[in-house]
Amino acid sequence: MTDFIKGDSSWFTHDRFGMFIHFGLYSLPARHEWIQRNEEIQADVYRKYFNNFNPDLFDAAAWAKAAKNAGMKYVVFTTKHHDGFCLFDSAYTDYKCTKTPYGKDILREIVDAFRNEGFKIGLYHSLIDWNHPDFTIDAYHPLANHPDREALNSKKEMTEYRKYLHRQTEEILTKYGDIDILWYDFSYPRLAKNGKGKDDWESEKLVELIRSIRPQILLNNRLDLPGSGDIITPEQSTPENPIVDENGAPAVWEGCQTFSGSWGYHRDEMSWKSEKQCIDMLINHVSRNGNLLMNVGPNARGEIDSRAMTRLNDFGRWMRLHSRSIYGCQAAPENFKEPRDCRYTWNPETGKLYLHFMNWPSSYLILPDMQGKIAYAQFLHDYSEVQFVENNSSVLHGNLAVRAPQNSVTLKLPIKAPDVTVPVIELILK
Ligand code: GLC
């Protein structure tokens, strides 16, 4: 395997929480970002969304503020999605925002506004392109079931598409200042007939190009080129355990998640996750060494709708009081065994351990194997002291004597859960 240059992930594993933004022509039909494929819409029909693309209320500064208030530290923005529409002023196509009624370079506004709020900048770029004339029709393509599929394909030159992909990569990495993450999407070499992978993208060359422009950039793992990525990117699922690399060492990973069942704006989608689910997700990622990249799909006027804003505010309310258990934190060393219904995160720099209650136990909680290790314990939301007893077999719970196992510590808790979505206790260790 080639020895690939690796990017600098130190800021990334510190910051832990980012905003994914899916914005594009699909925001108009508002029926999922794969609508062109799902409804097999021909290019000339899909064109109506291009002709009517005019997000008059788009305010990149407002998006950046919303992300900042939620506690997010970096952004990953769609420069181009599978439909091929470019949200930046590319020199190599007219299928771009500057040619729509909106007329302006959206990516420029995004990078300026988010940098202004201190964000690191990530760019999502689709490897797939349903608009490019030389991109061969495969099973994911809107023309997959076209009767003349093979005849159409025989005229296509993937080498031309490859050139386009490489040139646009160079554009987005050179024309918009320092880019911190490049997030390609995606490869499917095993898909029967015209499936696409590293040979189709010329991934090795692409990686060389990227590293020659920005050696420290973080690259995700969707180029079908093992070893070339810095970040593993599970999607819509939360791993049970920390993800490890080929050698069993902890890997850098980032789970990308949606508030509801679509990445692009979906007006009628109703499966929105609750506040509790969202906060749990963030904790579940960090407690397993992961980052959370939380997606918003702004609507066609360029606004993050009230459902998404509500959840961003929920994150913000919780993060205002608890970000200390997220930033700079990771999975706790294995000798700290998580108590029932709890998650630990750990800050290796301060040595502090954070106990998250995914379910409130009421009145006490036994921490296994913690005898003699805790100097002080406090809730994060109000810094109120949490009293504890060491290895004591007779903590009173009403009239019931509770047996604490050897070497444990028992925390004395209020019967009623504190009024925060997920309470956190900071354990200051000896
Ligand atoms: C999938 C989908 C895509 C979405 C991406 C985010 O690969 O194709 O619509 O952008 O996931 O990870």
Side-chain angles (χ1 to χ4, degrees):
M1 197 168 73
T2 325
D3 266 344
F4 293 100
I5 301 175
K6 288 289 179 176
D8 172 18
S9 60
S10 55
W11 68 267
F12 184 78
T13 52
H14 175 275
D15 288 357
R16 289 299 183 207
F17 191 24
M19 175 180 267
F20 212 174
I21 305 178
H22 277 69
F23 190 46
L25 295 185
Y26 45 78
S27 307
L28 279 76
R31 299 194 292 277
H32 200 279
E33 77 284 353
W34 274 66
I35 179 191
Q36 193 181 1
R37 165 66 184 113
N38 293 348
E39 299 180 13
E40 302 190 23
I41 304 175
Q42 305 261 344
D44 56 336
V45 177
Y46 198 73
R47 187 85 193 174
K48 66 185 167 193
Y49 304 125
F50 181 93
N51 294 338
N52 288 289
F53 184 79
N54 196 1
D56 61 335
L57 299 179
F58 170 57
D59 175 4
W63 293 7
K65 279 231 153 49
K68 188 171 187 174
N69 290 340
M72 294 158 166
K73 296 276 194 188
Y74 64 98
V75 64
V76 178
F77 180 72
T78 46
T79 50
K80 179 189 88 167
H81 204 263
H82 308 335
D83 63 8
F85 177 67
C86 295
L87 282 289
F88 65 105
D89 191 19
S90 173
Y92 305 107
T93 182
D94 281 338
Y95 203 49
K96 58 182 177 183
C97 53
T98 44
K99 293 279 183 191
T100 64
Y102 181 69
K104 286 180 268 176
D105 185 339
I106 292 186
L107 179 58
R108 177 77 59 203
E109 298 188 39
I110 292 283
V111 295
D112 288 351
F114 278 83
R115 280 204 189 105
N116 204 25
E117 294 287 358
F119 277 61
K120 291 272 196 308
I121 308 292
L123 303 181
Y124 166 109
H125 197 74
S126 175
L127 296 164
I128 302 169
D129 195 316
W130 299 329
N131 181 65
H132 197 282
D134 287 303
F135 189 90
T136 54
I137 303 167
D138 53 48
Y140 291 148
H141 196 282
L143 302 183
N145 299 315
H146 195 285
D148 302 327
R149 171 172 162 170
E150 290 322 313
L152 290 168
N153 270 347
S154 66
K155 298 192 201 92
K156 293 180 185 290
E157 291 294 343
M158 271 298 280
T159 46
E160 288 305 309
Y161 174 67
R162 247 190 316 274
K163 261 190 228 158
Y164 178 71
L165 173 65
H166 287 227
R167 283 177 177 159
Q168 285 204 326
T169 295
E170 189 171 355
E171 274 189 312
I172 57 177
L173 293 186
T174 53
K175 287 170 58 180
Y176 296 88
D178 291 352
I179 302 301
D180 305 290
I181 303 173
L182 185 55
W183 215 106
Y184 282 123
D185 193 36
F186 61 85
S187 301
Y188 41 101
R190 278 166 292 280
L191 188 75
K193 264 205 168 163
N194 300 109
K196 295 181 179 64
K198 62 176 181 326
D199 298 336
D200 301 278
W201 324 129
E202 247 188 306
S203 295
E204 223 153 314
K205 267 205 156 155
L206 203 48
V207 173
E208 270 172 39
L209 171 73
I210 295 160
R211 293 289 175 211
S212 73
I213 301 171
R214 286 191 63 71
Q216 292 300 302
I217 202 168
L218 293 178
L219 183 62
N220 75 340
N221 67 333
R222 296 192 178 187
L223 274 176
D224 181 35
L225 192 61
S228 67
D230 300 294
I231 313 170
I232 297 171
T233 55
E235 156 178 343
Q236 303 280 31
S237 71
T238 308
E240 286 280 309
N241 298 301
I243 298 180
V244 291
D245 64 17
E246 314 79 52
N247 309 315
V252 176
W253 68 270
E254 172 197 67
C256 49
Q257 308 279 357
T258 52
F259 284 130
S260 77
S262 169
W263 299 87
Y265 179 65
H266 197 314
R267 184 188 59 207
D268 303 333
E269 183 7 82
M270 290 302 160
S271 64
W272 287 69
K273 296 178 180 81
S274 70
E275 169 179 6
K276 173 79 165 69
Q277 271 181 297
C278 290
I279 306 286
D280 282 2
M281 222 154 51
L282 176 60
I283 297 160
N284 282 330
H285 283 56
V286 179
S287 68
R288 301 295 180 261
N289 284 330
N291 282 31
L292 173 61
L293 184 62
M294 196 73 225
N295 181 73
V296 295
N299 66 26
R301 293 200 73 174
E303 287 205 308
I304 299 176
D305 85 343
S306 61
R307 297 169 295 185
M309 277 307 291
T310 301
R311 286 292 165 269
L312 291 175
N313 289 332
D314 294 339
F315 269 120
R317 225 181 11 260
W318 188 83
M319 282 293 278
R320 188 177 75 82
L321 299 169
H322 300 98
S323 64
R324 216 185 314 159
S325 76
I326 300 295
Y327 301 144
C329 289
Q330 60 185 56
E334 269 169 28
N335 53 324
F336 297 116
K337 289 195 201 84
E338 285 174 343
R340 195 185 63 176
D341 291 345
C342 292
R343 297 282 182 280
Y344 275 139
T345 64
W346 181 65
N347 185 319
E349 246 167 63
T350 63
K352 287 177 184 161
L353 189 62
Y354 296 95
L355 176 66
H356 301 75
F357 294 85
M358 315 310 264
N359 245 325
W360 188 250
S362 107
S363 72
Y364 70 94
L365 178 75
I366 294 168
L367 308 181
D369 295 330
M370 287 297 279
Q371 194 198 354
K373 293 184 183 161
I374 304 174
Y376 188 72
Q378 61 183 0
F379 278 110
L380 270 190
H381 68 277
D382 64 354
Y383 281 0
S384 61
E385 180 184 10
V386 177
Q387 293 179 289
F388 57 91
V389 287
E390 305 243 11
N391 198 21
N392 192 324
S393 60
S394 61
V395 178
L396 282 181
H397 173 51
N399 285 331
L400 182 79
V402 177
R403 227 154 240 300
Q406 284 292 304
N407 302 324
S408 65
V409 164
T410 305
L411 300 177
K412 296 183 176 181
L413 302 174
I415 291 193
K416 211 169 147 337
D419 188 21
V420 289
T421 312
V422 175
V424 182
I425 290 177
E426 181 173 54
L427 298 170
I428 295 159
L429 305 180
K430 283 181 185 161

